[in-house]
Amino acid sequence: MRPVRIPRRPAVPRYRIRRAGPPPRGTRSWPVRGLIACTALLLAGCATGPSPRSDTPHGDYAEPPLPAQATAIPADSSVPVPDDPDCGDPTASLRPAGPAATGPALNRIRARGRLVVGLDTGSNLFSFRDPNSGVIVGFDADIAREVARDLFGDPDRIEYRSLGSEEREAALIDRRVDMVVKTMTVTCARLERVAFSTVYLKAHQRVLAIKGSGIESLKDLAGKRVCTIRRTTSLEHIRRIQPEASILTVPTWADCLVVLQQRQVDAVSTDDSILAGLKAQDPHTDLVGPSISEEPYGIGIPKGDEDLVRFVNGTLDRIRADGTWSRLYGQWLSALGPTPPPPAPAYRD
């Protein structure tokens, strides 16, 4: 007697989940739709921030979760924004010392054998890891290397530590780093807690939006959502100038670009120098509107380390005079336009 051949059960067809755009009608069965919906709900539940915007159609798809630690600040014109205290000219620093200078902070750094610098390793154009060499490069990174060059005769005797924008002051106060070179605006409020070098770059706060969105400046963001970072001057300016905009704060500027691309915010607002780095990563975005405020960048240094402040100012004086500053600007920041003259230093002693 021959064995009975039992027919095999037909294979269930596999469906590829598309990442963008709704699927053609009739290509998915009800159970598959239900599975996708459940998966989206589970993923959305992992987000620590507020729920994504729901005013952008996505067919049958739930929007992706917001970045971790995202925080929504509702529009509220009744909330007062404190003004920066008056300290005269906050950009005025100590007169420079030469490369042979000594002092408690300088002696400590030289004994250690390396300069410890806080920056953002994900800031395009300013400080980011080169994908080919693995080396941290950019305008801020190279400014820090010039300080190490004058300290040790070797620009590579340097240790970079990645910091978020809201960590900069704490890292200096706790002396976890010798200095912070991270697009840090000099303000009177910050001078109460940390010290600064002379200004090494002047930026201007503007707006980054999707091309064709109709957003031309900060005034067009009334009733819309804008992305920025906590504890920055950018956040304070948005709340003061456009209180009718709701705000989403995230840990990094790269997060701002992602939520803009996903249409979870309508725009990003911060310094044009930072926005130029985001725009370089997405040709569908554009820098719009006039300058909202001037942002003078200084190198942050722990309060009390006056010998280090003077030494750093000596390095900045040298690179202004010998053409290094102009070379670095042309190499990294040409997206902002022709190379300007370096900022003139101001001294208070």
Side-chain angles (χ1 to χ4, degrees):
M1 183 176 178
R2 293 183 179 180
V4 177
R5 185 182 297 276
I6 300 174
R8 298 180 64 181
R9 185 178 180 182
V12 177
R14 295 177 180 270
Y15 294 91
R16 179 175 295 175
I17 298 175
R18 294 165 44 171
R19 292 185 178 273
R25 290 188 179 275
T27 59
R28 289 185 183 159
S29 63
W30 182 89
V32 175
R33 286 178 180 270
L35 176 61
I36 293 171
C38 290
T39 304
L41 287 172
L42 287 172
L43 289 173
C46 296
T48 58
S51 300
R53 291 168 66 91
S54 59
D55 54 3
T56 302
H58 284 270
D60 295 328
Y61 297 89
E63 292 188 16
L66 291 171
Q69 302 176 32
T71 303
I73 302 174
D76 190 347
S77 58
S78 66
V79 177
V81 181
D83 290 323
D84 198 36
D86 184 13
C87 65
D89 181 5
T91 66
S93 185
L94 299 173
R95 291 195 176 275
T102 60
L106 292 171
N107 295 341
R108 182 176 65 249
I109 295 167
R110 288 190 176 111
R112 185 198 303 136
R114 68 188 185 281
L115 180 67
V116 181
V117 176
L119 42 64
D120 178 2
T121 54
S123 181
N124 193 32
L125 305 184
F126 281 91
S127 47
F128 61 98
R129 196 171 294 280
D130 182 89
N132 296 318
S133 66
V135 176
I136 295 174
V137 297
F139 187 77
D140 279 351
D142 283 354
I143 292 288
R145 280 194 175 91
E146 292 303 317
V147 178
R149 186 191 304 277
D150 286 348
L151 265 170
F152 300 108
D154 182 355
D156 294 324
R157 290 179 65 174
I158 195 165
E159 177 185 339
Y160 293 119
R161 295 186 181 174
S162 187
L163 299 174
S165 292
E166 59 184 335
E167 299 177 273
R168 294 175 296 191
E169 290 182 29
L172 290 169
I173 293 169
D174 298 340
R175 295 182 183 276
R176 286 181 275 133
V177 296
D178 298 318
M179 62 179 65
V180 168
V181 192
K182 186 187 181 307
T183 60
M184 193 172 183
T185 300
V186 183
T187 69
C188 289
R190 287 174 174 166
L191 279 169
E192 294 177 353
R193 299 179 289 273
V194 301
F196 281 100
S197 70
T198 54
V199 175
Y200 70 92
L201 183 69
K202 285 186 178 179
H204 296 268
Q205 183 172 346
R206 294 179 66 195
V207 172
L208 184 76
I210 299 295
K211 289 181 178 179
S213 66
I215 296 172
E216 298 295 335
S217 68
L218 195 61
K219 69 178 183 180
D220 297 321
L221 292 175
K224 298 184 183 296
R225 180 184 277 182
V226 58
C227 184
T228 194
I229 289 184
R230 291 181 291 272
R231 297 182 186 176
T232 59
T233 55
S234 302
L235 173 58
E236 296 169 5
H237 294 149
I238 296 167
R239 291 181 61 203
R240 183 179 294 111
I241 299 169
Q242 185 48 280
E244 295 181 20
S246 63
I247 298 171
L248 183 72
T249 64
V250 293
T252 70
W253 294 116
D255 289 328
C256 271
L257 180 59
V258 170
V259 294
L260 177 64
Q261 291 170 326
Q262 295 176 165
R263 308 303 194 267
Q264 293 169 301
V265 298
D266 300 287
V268 181
S269 184
T270 187
D271 308 342
D272 56 359
S273 52
I274 297 172
L275 295 178
L278 301 182
K279 174 178 166 54
Q281 299 173 73
D282 189 338
H284 300 291
T285 61
D286 208 2
L287 270 166
V288 298
S291 171
I292 298 167
S293 65
E294 186 174 84
E295 304 295 317
Y297 292 168
I299 295 175
I301 296 169
K303 208 169 184 64
D305 288 357
E306 294 191 356
D307 57 326
L308 182 55
V309 173
R310 294 183 186 278
F311 188 92
V312 170
N313 284 341
T315 295
L316 294 178
D317 253 12
R318 172 182 66 78
I319 66 174
R320 291 185 191 105
D322 68 8
T324 301
W325 187 94
S326 296
R327 176 179 59 79
L328 295 179
Y329 190 100
Q331 179 180 357
W332 298 112
L333 303 181
S334 60
L336 293 173
T339 301
Y347 300 115
R348 57 183 168 83
D349 63 338

